[in-house]
């Protein structure tokens, strides 16, 4: 049917299309006609525009102040990531100021990448929603774990720092939160990684200057708590987890095994 | 049709956000967050979820502000569409996760169906588009208005509306048809 010759029917279909109540085969047929006939396309667009005003007609409700705080943090991380990407693109090679240890240098180079990734992951994790399809599917497969973690986080208003540590494929593997009141770092395993019986995972702070500093060795349980002072955490942009011999290695020598997970530490609200 | 003063102010802010102006971003948030949060609440009906929707929407506004000039919508409608789209993502996701949950009718919908609530309009902020729609919606009976609003905001089919509102399917279809017919003749005057 040439809908252009049936203005009443066209208007009715276009209105239902824009409203969302035109479904199934009728919707597909309408879309097909819209691609072929400009009048149909125009009617659909006109109705979409009219109805879009509906979004302005809801009661205003002031959002809780921490929502802005969360948005602000994510935007700051975005800016930081863009800045570092820009610096790298401009050829400012990392590691020219000092000659740090091998893996430490590579971590510095990866920092921009990790930050960019953590923005996506954090958003996902905080909200339990969209962004990258791959991560989304993965999150779904992780079941309610992240939601539980979010609930825990929101139930503890003192949580001032969060990090999502990712493996090299950007899979979220460890959720880290810091509670300054209890001076406790909580680590929750969200991936399925399990070290072998003769190995331990060790958490490191990577301060802007100086070498890595051990924050502790993780047990095998899903949720691990480590004691840490505010000073240990406040000025640290990045956390990393390395695979070490059972019981871990001394802090002074730095990690000896491969770095499995890393991620930016971000101040959370408050 | 001249551009509204409030629209012009918001467009100027969005332009500055596109050039990574954080102060402009805060100003844009201060001027629009309450309205958009109200919208998110209406769509997802849950405070925690609505906060997440608002957060993701503003992150999207921050990242895509440069694209706004390519849209023909007024600024509040543009941001509103982002919130609606993110909100619907959340709803679809939740439906996928929990298939056996029956949603309670929220208080606002209950009141509206009972016939004592109307769409609010913030005159200082609303675009001309929203004002026209507001006037036309105001001519509908409360029930028709509510059913049409919910169909749009929550992207619900006739059948889903009937289930959510505990109404017969035929009633929902009739209200939507009459509502849209009246909106059409009314909106034609503003076209």
């Amino acid at each position: 049917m040439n809908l252009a010759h049936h203005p009443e029917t066209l208007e009715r279909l276009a209105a239902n299309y824009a409203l969302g109540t035109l479904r199934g085969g009728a919707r597909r047929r309408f879309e097909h006609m819209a691609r072929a006939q400009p009048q149909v396309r125009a009617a659909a667009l006109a109705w979409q525009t009219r109805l879009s005003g509906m979004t302005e007609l809801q009661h205003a409700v002031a959002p809780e102040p921490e929502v802005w705080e969360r948005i602000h943090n994510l935007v700051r991380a975005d800016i930081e990531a863009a800045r570092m990407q820009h610096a790298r693109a401009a050829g400012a090679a990392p590691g020219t100021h000092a000659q740090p240890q091998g893996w430490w240098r590579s971590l510095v180079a990866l920092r921009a990448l990790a930050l960019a990734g953590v923005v996506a992951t954090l958003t996902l994790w905080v909200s339990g929603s969209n962004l990258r399809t791959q991560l989304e599917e993965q999150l779904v497969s992780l079941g309610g774990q992240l939601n539980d973690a979010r609930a825990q986080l929101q139930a503890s208003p003192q949580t001032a720092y969060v990090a999502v540590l990712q493996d090299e494929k950007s899979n979220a593997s460890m959720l880290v939160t810091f509670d300054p009141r209890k001076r406790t770092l909580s680590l929750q395993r969200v991936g399925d990684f399990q070290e072998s019986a003769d190995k331990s995972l060790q958490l490191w702070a990577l301060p802007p200057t100086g070498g890595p500093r051990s924050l502790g060795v993780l047990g095998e349980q899903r949720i691990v708590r480590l004691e840490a002072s505010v000073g240990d955490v406040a000025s640290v942009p990045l956390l990393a987890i390395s695979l070490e011999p059972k019981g871990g290695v001394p802090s002074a020598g730095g990690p000896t095994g491969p770095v499995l997970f890393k991620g930016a530490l971000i101040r959370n609200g408050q | 049709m001249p551009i509204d003063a409030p629209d012009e102010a918001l467009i100027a802010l969005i332009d500055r956000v596109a050039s990574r102006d954080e102060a402009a971003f805060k100003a844009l948030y201060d001027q629009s967050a309450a309205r958009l949060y109200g919208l998110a609440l209406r769509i997802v009906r849950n405070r925690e979820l609505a906060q997440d929707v608002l957060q993701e929407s503003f992150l999207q506004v921050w990242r895509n502000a440069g694209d706004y000039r390519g849209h023909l919508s007024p600024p509040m409608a543009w941001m509103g569409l982002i919130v609606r789209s993110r909100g619907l993502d959340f709803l679809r996701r939740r439906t996928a996760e929990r298939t056996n949950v029956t949603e309670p009718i929220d208080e606002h919908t209950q009141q509206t169906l009972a016939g004592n609530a109307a769409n609010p309009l913030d005159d200082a902020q609303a675009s001309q588009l929203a004002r026209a729609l507001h006037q036309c919606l105001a001519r509908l009976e409360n029930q028709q208005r509510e059913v049409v609003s919910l169909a749009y905001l929550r992207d619900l089919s006739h059948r889903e509306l009937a289930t959510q509102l505990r109404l017969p399917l035929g009633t929902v279809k009739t209200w939507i048809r009459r509502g849209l017919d009246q909106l059409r003749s009314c909106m034609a005057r503003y076209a």
Side-chain angles (χ1 to χ4, degrees):
Chain A
M1 179 169 70
N2 188 342
L3 274 181
H5 297 150
H6 301 82
E8 286 278 317
T9 313
L10 171 58
E11 279 294 309
R12 191 162 286 167
L13 286 172
N16 271 291
Y17 172 78
L19 190 68
T21 42
L22 194 66
R23 299 272 166 137
R27 187 173 190 86
R28 284 192 293 277
R29 281 193 297 280
F30 181 83
E31 284 167 345
H32 182 73
M33 285 186 282
R35 284 184 202 105
Q37 303 173 37
Q39 295 95 329
V40 178
R41 207 154 56 236
L45 282 172
W47 269 103
Q48 281 177 336
T49 306
R50 284 171 194 153
L51 291 178
S52 71
M54 198 95 78
T55 60
E56 293 185 52
L57 299 180
Q58 309 310 314
H59 286 281
V61 182
E64 292 73 7
E66 62 263 28
V67 181
W68 166 252
E69 207 58 53
R70 276 156 50 182
I71 293 168
H72 184 65
N73 280 335
L74 291 168
V75 163
R76 293 298 320 174
D78 229 28
I79 292 171
E80 173 79 350
R83 194 176 60 76
M84 300 208 63
Q85 235 165 16
H86 183 74
R88 286 202 309 154
T96 48
H97 312 298
Q99 291 297 321
Q101 302 159 1
W103 79 250
W104 168 237
R105 176 167 42 191
S106 70
L107 265 178
V108 172
L110 277 167
R111 189 174 158 213
L113 213 58
L115 265 176
V118 89
V119 171
T121 315
L122 254 187
T123 309
L124 252 175
W125 157 72
V126 170
S127 60
S129 161
N130 78 12
L131 295 192
R132 301 178 194 168
T133 313
Q134 189 191 347
L135 279 171
E136 192 173 327
E137 285 164 3
Q138 187 199 350
L139 268 192
V140 171
S141 76
L142 284 172
Q145 288 172 15
L146 287 183
N147 276 337
D148 294 348
R150 181 182 65 174
Q152 281 173 17
L153 192 67
Q154 287 180 345
S156 60
Q158 288 300 314
T159 302
Y161 294 87
V162 294
V164 177
L165 307 190
Q166 305 173 313
D167 65 16
E168 55 189 10
K169 292 179 189 153
S170 296
N171 294 318
S173 303
M174 195 79 71
L175 175 67
V176 184
T177 55
F178 178 65
D179 181 342
R181 192 182 45 189
K182 296 182 185 156
R183 288 185 292 176
T184 304
L185 272 167
S186 299
L187 289 86
Q188 181 167 16
R189 295 169 188 251
V190 291
D192 50 11
F193 179 85
Q194 191 64 52
E195 62 276 24
S196 60
D198 59 337
K199 299 281 187 188
S200 290
L201 295 181
Q202 190 161 0
L203 178 68
W204 301 86
L206 308 177
T209 55
R213 201 172 65 237
S214 175
L215 291 173
V217 178
L218 281 64
E220 285 163 19
Q221 60 275 41
R222 275 206 93 71
I223 298 180
V224 179
R225 293 189 205 291
L226 300 172
E227 204 174 299
S229 72
V230 176
D232 285 338
V233 175
S235 61
V236 175
L238 206 61
L239 296 177
I241 286 180
S242 66
L243 186 65
E244 301 293 345
K246 190 81 183 166
V249 295
S251 179
T256 62
V259 172
L260 300 179
F261 316 117
K262 56 190 175 297
L265 190 62
I266 292 182
R267 204 178 148 81
N268 178 55
Q270 314 305 317
Chain B
M1 191 158 81
I3 297 180
D4 294 347
D7 278 4
E8 276 193 80
L10 288 174
I11 291 170
L13 284 178
I14 292 172
D15 279 346
R16 283 169 56 198
V17 171
S19 56
R20 312 286 80 173
D21 182 334
E22 284 183 77
F25 186 59
K26 176 74 166 103
L28 184 65
Y29 181 87
D30 287 342
Q31 287 183 34
S32 61
R35 191 142 291 274
L36 295 173
Y37 187 49
L39 171 64
L41 276 170
R42 181 105 151 91
I43 295 172
V44 300
R45 286 161 292 170
N46 170 303
R47 211 170 55 89
E48 209 172 292
L49 274 180
Q51 289 181 357
D52 292 344
V53 169
L54 192 67
Q55 172 187 316
E56 287 214 4
S57 301
F58 268 97
L59 199 61
Q60 192 174 339
V61 166
W62 168 259
R63 288 179 179 162
N64 299 345
D67 297 341
Y68 170 68
R69 285 288 183 176
H71 288 259
L72 299 176
S73 315
M76 277 308 290
W78 177 66
M79 291 192 285
L81 286 175
I82 290 176
V83 170
R84 174 175 176 259
S85 165
R86 292 280 74 78
L88 292 176
D89 283 349
F90 274 74
L91 287 185
R92 276 191 282 272
R93 175 180 194 78
R94 197 169 53 163
T95 309
E97 281 171 1
R98 311 185 316 188
T99 48
N100 54 351
V101 178
T102 48
E103 303 285 352
I105 298 184
D106 56 294
E107 199 179 320
H108 177 268
T109 300
Q110 256 168 354
Q111 282 178 1
T112 310
L113 287 177
N116 56 4
N119 286 109
L121 180 76
D122 179 351
D123 268 327
Q125 283 266 317
S127 63
Q128 292 192 359
L129 176 79
R131 276 180 222 160
L133 184 67
H134 180 254
Q135 289 184 13
C136 291
L137 281 171
R139 297 173 186 217
L140 303 186
E141 287 170 33
N142 281 319
Q143 296 161 329
Q144 289 174 6
R145 181 170 57 239
E146 182 63 8
V147 170
V148 168
S149 300
L150 282 186
Y152 181 75
L153 293 173
R154 294 183 194 155
D155 195 25
L156 297 174
S157 68
H158 289 128
R159 192 168 298 281
E160 288 162 339
L161 281 166
T163 308
Q164 278 207 10
L165 302 176
R166 321 254 203 286
L167 290 168
L169 182 58
T171 306
V172 168
K173 284 185 175 172
T174 307
W175 286 357
I176 293 261
R177 194 184 66 242
R178 286 188 194 151
L180 284 179
D181 280 351
Q182 288 183 43
L183 268 191
R184 177 166 48 123
S185 55
C186 177
M187 294 294 282
R189 267 172 259 149
Y190 296 90

